Amino acid sequence: MVSLYAASKKIYPRSVEGIFAYWRWIFVVLTQLVFYCLPWFEWGSRQAVLFDLGARRFYIFGLVLYPQDFIYLTGLLVISALALFLFTAVAGRLWCGFACPQTVYTEIFLWIERKIEGDRSARMRLDDGDFSLEKLVKKWYKHLIWIFFSIWTGFTFVGYFTPIRELAMEFFLTRMSSWELFWVFFYGFATYGNAGFMREQVCKYMCPYARFQSAMFDADTLIVTYDTERGEPRGPRSKKADVALENLGACVDCTLCVQVCPTGIDIRNGLQYECIGCGACADVCDTVMDKMGYPRGLVRFSTQNAMDNKWTPQQTWKRLMRPRIQIYTMILGAIVIALLVSLGLRTPFKVDVVRDRSTLSRITEYGTLENVYRLQIMNATEHAQTYKLSTRGLPGLKITTEKEILVEAAQARWVVLRADIPYGSSEAGSHKIQFEIAAQGTDDVVVEKSVFIVPR
Ligand code: SF4
Ligand code: SF4
């Protein structure tokens, strides 16, 4: 019997220092500072960034967005997708190696693990060793901190959808709603499971991005590469050995590049889909090269063309700005500018006019012909605002209900609007009319189209 199932082997990445490790930690700190601190910022009397799904309103600093502003979210998604294409075409899986939440949380969880259980060999010894009090204490301690951190992460996540200060109060008074509690623990559990246990398996088996990345690579994309020509034949040697005499390449076969790899691959076998481009192997190999007194860069970020044609770093960087990259950059720049301009020109209120379906048209006690509408005004500003209503499109058309509507800050209000014309002043049929809604004290005006029905 041949089993088709192979249990995955646990990976114990060795800690590493170097330029790429430094930048990875910069991104860990920056992204997490933003994630954990942002919901605590206030903007006036409300949370600065809040996605209030119940009230169907998104607050992003000075912006109040309604479901009608969905186009901006679409724009943001298009920008994110294009930015991903651009960065991948330039430098491969930059996002995966440096900013993806899976990488960032795995890095944090690994850091906690190292602080408690030690580096690679100590962790392997501890896992292989028999049960002991030390093992029990270390494991419990580690999981306790992981769980605390995960719940804090879940709590922060929910704090983007429910005011976080109220949520904190409810949490301490054990008065959280069942849904809030569910999402805190669900997101916390996902963090704990993905960063504590699944780790590289999420990248290898679950993330779709790893599958289509090769479609975005070309021979001028920066990838982590092993310089086979320089490194082979590999083999151990003393520091003083004459490599030419012993017919050896620069690789001392120390396997440190494999030991630091968070996905457990050997970069010397060439580019593999598991490689997340974190550069840990390049960092550790540079330290080995330094110790041996060899030039750095046996494992480095380079391109296929640069390796094949033995380009200098200047030639490689020059080639990076190829037409494809220029086109991506131009499209991305144009969409970003268009989004910013449209946000800048956005009217700070929205209006919806719908005809009252229960009354098509009726003759009033004053002998006029009346149509009834329902009008919704959404105030997207942070202060109460009065709106003046007027209408045009038919001779004698006028509004007979309230013409000035007060809407509280960041609120929406439905009002019934009646409009009439002198009886017999227009032919029977459906006539196009317009409602003009002007925010008092500003130049902001919205014109909404509708129809006025004159029966036969
Ligand atoms: S770290 Fe460098 S020298 Fe050591 S095995 Fe890897 S490629 Fe060879
Ligand atoms: S091969 Fe190197 S760059 Fe790729 S994931 Fe492993 S350590 Fe990171």
Side-chain angles (χ1 to χ4, degrees), residues 224 257 260-263 265 267 274-282:
V224 179
C257 51
V260 296
C261 179
T263 60
I265 59 167
I267 192 64
E274 295 97 332
C275 175
I276 57 167
C278 66
C281 50

Side-chain angles (χ1 to χ4, degrees), residues 146-163:
W146 277 4
I147 290 169
F148 171 78
F149 184 80
S150 303
I151 292 177
W152 182 31
T153 306
F155 173 82
T156 306
F157 174 75
V158 175
Y160 278 92
F161 300 92
T162 301

Side-chain angles (χ1 to χ4, degrees), residues 226 250-257 268 284-285 288-289 298-299:
Y226 167 69
C251 176
V252 300
D253 206 12
C254 61
T255 72
L256 280 176
C257 51
R268 294 172 298 171
V284 81
C285 192
V288 176
M289 294 296 108
L298 177 60
V299 179

